[in-house]
Amino acid sequence: MIELDRLPELVDPVLIAAFEGWNDAGEASSGVIAHLESAWKAEPLIALDPDDYYDFQVTRPVVEMNDGLTRSIVWPTTRLLRARPPGLERDVVLLRGIEPNMRWRSFCADIIEVCRELGVELAVMLGALLNDSPHTRPVPILGSATDAGLARSTNLELSRYEGPTGIVGVLQHAFGEAGLDAVSLWASVPHYVAQPPNPKATLALLRRLEDLLEIPMPLGDLDEEARAWERGVDELASQDSEVAEYVKELEERKDAAELPEASGDAIAAEFERYLRRRDRDTDS
């Protein structure tokens, strides 16, 4: 059970959610929540009881030292935090969790109950998947929405995926069943460089979030970190002729599949981001 009596009143809140585990290749999506939590100085709202949803032999608690003197146990769970982006009269609820090991339907019902209590009407689920994407090209962001009208208004598609799913897909579906709008954004992470972190994929998700929500996203040092990550992968690939040839093949396949207007769409989106940031800087 969760206690909702102490939750604050929020202003036009939107939920941004990501889960560690199966849904989080390269820790790209959980990296977005960690980044926003730090940049926006998010404050804790509520945490779900880990005993209800986690098998501690599968997802083990962690021992941490406090000031080098005492030890504490950090239990795996899902937490919701409140953030107020600078210059906006709107709250953002950040959900940072670990994919639960059991009772997914009850887990989703708990999340939806909290969101209803907070007044959340739109949820954005973030994920990252391994794909045949060359690291040298822009990170593809796939997306879907719970209904056709929402898909059109957010420039996304209704998902036609069939197959195994994770908590991101289940929670998005649960939001739709509950009559709440939900979209998902997935970054495609190169399968040949899957180890975390992947700042380039995290940066791509943040930029797509900015386009979707029209909320300026703090990027910090992610641009520089993404370039350094790409240079590092370039260097590793150059040391193995088979990997280098494979990357070249992926690049050619990607370039051949790109539509001519794709670059124009990217330029237009970048210009819109610039205008939003300029307006925000002028207001402040």
Side-chain angles (χ1 to χ4, degrees):
M1 298 294 292
I2 48 178
E3 299 293 335
L4 302 177
D5 55 346
R6 295 186 178 180
L7 290 178
E9 292 187 11
L10 304 186
V11 178
D12 190 23
V14 59
L15 175 75
I16 303 174
F19 295 88
E20 300 173 21
W22 191 84
N23 314 263
D24 192 28
E27 296 180 1
S29 56
S30 62
V32 170
I33 304 300
H35 177 80
L36 293 178
E37 179 182 345
S38 175
W40 284 341
K41 298 179 174 58
E43 300 174 350
L45 282 172
I46 196 170
L48 273 61
D49 187 342
D51 287 349
D52 291 337
Y53 303 115
Y54 295 96
D55 179 345
F56 300 135
Q57 290 184 321
V58 176
T59 308
R60 291 186 177 271
V62 176
V63 176
E64 289 188 352
M65 295 297 297
N66 302 317
D67 302 323
L69 300 176
T70 59
R71 298 195 303 172
S72 61
I73 302 293
V74 179
W75 296 92
T77 189
T78 292
R79 295 178 173 84
L80 288 88
L81 306 99
R82 172 191 186 178
R84 174 64 66 87
L88 291 183
E89 293 299 320
R90 182 182 192 181
D91 289 304
V92 175
V93 178
L94 301 175
L95 186 154
R96 185 176 185 181
I98 302 169
E99 185 175 63
N101 303 120
M102 52 197 176
R103 291 190 280 274
W104 282 21
R105 286 178 290 188
S106 297
F107 176 88
C108 292
D110 273 355
I111 296 297
I112 290 171
E113 184 180 2
V114 174
C115 287
R116 285 195 187 280
E117 185 70 19
L118 292 171
V120 170
E121 295 184 354
L122 173 64
V124 183
M125 318 291 176
L126 303 179
L129 51 86
L130 298 178
N131 207 340
D132 292 332
S133 302
H135 71 278
T136 53
R137 297 294 185 266
V139 176
I141 302 294
L142 310 175
S144 66
T146 48
D147 64 73
L150 180 60
R152 286 191 297 271
S153 67
T154 55
N155 196 28
L156 295 172
E157 297 180 358
L158 289 177
S159 175
R160 289 179 170 81
Y161 170 77
E162 294 181 319
T165 189
I167 193 61
V168 170
V170 172
L171 185 57
Q172 181 184 359
H173 179 76
F175 265 88
E177 291 287 298
L180 298 173
D181 288 339
V183 302
S184 62
L185 301 175
W186 289 81
S188 294
V189 172
H191 67 84
Y192 57 88
V193 56
Q195 64 272 24
N198 188 320
K200 186 172 181 178
T202 295
L203 179 62
L205 282 170
L206 276 167
R207 285 177 166 158
R208 187 64 182 89
L209 261 178
E210 183 170 271
D211 294 340
L212 178 69
L213 299 177
E214 297 185 350
I215 295 176
M217 295 290 160
L219 302 183
D221 296 327
L222 277 174
D223 263 319
E224 182 179 341
E225 292 172 8
R227 288 192 293 269
W229 176 85
E230 186 169 333
R231 288 195 299 269
V233 179
D234 283 342
E235 184 176 346
L236 290 174
S238 68
Q239 297 171 8
D240 187 315
S241 59
E242 290 187 4
V243 173
E245 184 62 29
Y246 179 64
V247 172
K248 182 180 179 182
E249 178 185 333
L250 290 179
E251 290 173 338
E252 292 173 349
R253 192 187 310 169
K254 176 72 174 176
D255 294 343
E258 286 288 346
L259 295 174
E261 62 268 20
S263 59
D265 292 342
I267 293 172
E270 188 62 38
F271 185 63
E272 289 176 2
R273 292 189 202 105
Y274 164 75
L275 292 177
R276 283 196 296 269
R277 292 178 182 278
R278 186 193 64 178
D279 292 343
R280 180 194 61 181
D281 294 342
T282 299
D283 294 340
S284 58

